């Protein structure tokens, strides 16, 4: 929620027609745009897995003086605490930070490193299709409105718990390498689709998702009708909600 030094970032559709763009081609486009930050998911490879694809992405960025701002995700739906892979997720995000963050093992021997300094946890969690699959009865049990079109409900409290767990692992990885924390971002809120961002933020806060280990909130301020004024209003609305929750600086 703070207003830091401005920079130019990019998020590209990594495809051209039906042809997937290689990491080098993506970075050439980013570099040509003048951006210094590239928003791109890391590939989930599990704890102790093969980092080759992620290494290629981060290296292509570093060679062009670009920093990756990653979305951390595993498939489409974030997991619940008792789901298979919950503990593996925590191990993996910590490994990612210890590899690509400040003083990470990936940067050993590399001059002028561009380490990852902010980590976004999941994408658009306020859209029910990105939340754990529940039945209508289960949604009713937890007091969440059923979205018949999508066949699921938004689960902000569950996302808050997931974000809290993820942020703790990310900060532990940063502390191990730097003796200080890093930036952890609430996954991008879609301001036009899914559960209203205000209700979702309130619910996520109740689940622990706006604690001290979470340092910012990412927003997708789509405003197809309101254009620039609509985007600005959405961003200010998110800020106002965070202010009301005591979660902004």
């Amino acid at each position: 929620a703070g207003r830091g030094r401005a920079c130019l970032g990019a998020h590209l559709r990594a495809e051209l027609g039906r042809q997937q763009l290689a990491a080098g081609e993506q970075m050439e486009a980013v570099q040509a745009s003048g951006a210094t930050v590239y928003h791109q998911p890391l590939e989930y490879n599990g704890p102790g897995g093969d980092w080759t694809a992620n290494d290629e992405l981060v290296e292509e960025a570093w060679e062009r003086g670009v920093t990756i701002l990653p979305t951390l995700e595993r498939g489409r739906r974030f997991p619940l605490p008792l789901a298979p892979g919950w503990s593996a997720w925590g191990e993996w995000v910590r490994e990612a930070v210890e590899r690509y963050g400040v003083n990470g093992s990936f940067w050993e021997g590399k001059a002028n490193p561009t380490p990852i300094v902010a980590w976004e946890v999941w994408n658009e969690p306020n859209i029910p299709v990105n939340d754990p699959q529940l039945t209508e009865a289960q949604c009713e049990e937890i007091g969440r409105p059923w979205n018949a079109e999508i066949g699921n409900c938004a689960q902000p409290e569950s996302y808050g718990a997931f974000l809290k767990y993820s942020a703790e692992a990310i900060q532990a990885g940063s502390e191990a390498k730097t003796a200080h924390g890093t930036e952890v971002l609430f996954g991008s809120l879609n301001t036009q689709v899914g559960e209203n961002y205000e209700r979702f933020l309130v619910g996520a806060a109740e689940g622990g998702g706006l604690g001290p280990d979470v340092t910012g909130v990412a927003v997708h301020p789509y405003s197809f009708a309101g254009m620039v004024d609509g985007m600005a209003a959405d961003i200010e609305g998110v800020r106002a909600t965070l202010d009301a929750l005591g979660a902004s600086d």
Side-chain angles (χ1 to χ4, degrees):
R3 293 173 172 82
R5 183 172 58 89
C7 66
L8 175 64
H11 178 94
L12 306 178
R13 292 293 296 273
E15 55 188 42
L16 183 61
R18 295 185 177 180
Q19 181 181 0
Q20 190 75 12
L21 295 179
E25 294 173 302
Q26 295 177 45
M27 292 307 154
E28 287 175 6
V30 173
Q31 186 178 34
S33 76
T36 57
V37 178
Y38 183 36
H39 185 212
Q40 177 73 0
L42 292 183
E43 179 182 293
Y44 181 76
N45 52 294
D50 183 359
W51 291 94
T52 301
N54 291 318
D55 283 354
E56 179 183 356
L57 173 71
V58 177
E59 182 151 11
E60 291 284 358
W62 162 67
E63 289 175 346
R64 293 165 175 79
V66 173
T67 299
I68 296 293
L69 169 56
T71 305
L72 301 176
E73 51 191 354
R74 186 200 71 184
R76 184 153 207 174
R77 303 179 189 276
F78 65 83
L80 294 170
L82 297 180
W86 175 266
S87 60
W89 169 263
E91 293 174 29
W92 178 74
V93 296
R94 176 167 178 158
E95 286 183 11
V97 174
E98 293 181 348
R99 187 175 188 86
Y100 301 120
V102 176
N103 296 337
S105 59
F106 177 81
W107 304 108
E108 293 176 4
K110 291 181 174 66
N112 302 313
T114 55
I116 294 173
V117 294
W119 309 81
E120 181 183 341
V121 181
W122 226 257
N123 179 55
E124 299 184 340
N126 64 314
I127 300 179
V129 73
N130 296 327
D131 291 16
Q133 182 63 59
L134 299 182
T135 65
E136 185 172 2
Q138 288 173 319
C139 289
E140 183 178 353
E141 184 179 346
I142 63 173
R144 304 305 307 168
W146 177 251
N147 185 313
E149 182 179 355
I150 292 178
N152 199 18
C153 56
Q155 298 150 56
E157 293 87 353
S158 294
Y159 175 71
F162 171 69
L163 177 58
K164 179 178 184 292
Y165 170 64
S166 302
E168 288 171 352
I170 292 168
Q171 297 294 7
S174 180
E175 291 281 354
K177 287 292 184 176
T178 67
H180 60 73
T182 185
E183 303 295 331
V184 179
L185 305 180
F186 193 111
S188 293
L189 290 166
N190 188 312
T191 61
Q192 297 295 305
V193 179
E195 180 157 290
N196 170 271
Y197 63 77
E198 182 176 3
R199 290 196 301 270
F200 198 85
L201 283 168
V202 169
E206 292 174 357
L210 290 177
D213 287 331
V214 178
T215 61
V217 175
V219 183
H220 287 166
Y222 299 120
S223 183
F224 304 112
M227 304 300 288
V228 174
D229 288 343
M231 291 173 59
D234 284 346
I235 292 170
E236 290 304 320
V238 171
R239 285 188 182 276
T241 302
L242 293 172
D243 286 342
L245 291 168
S248 63
D249 50 15

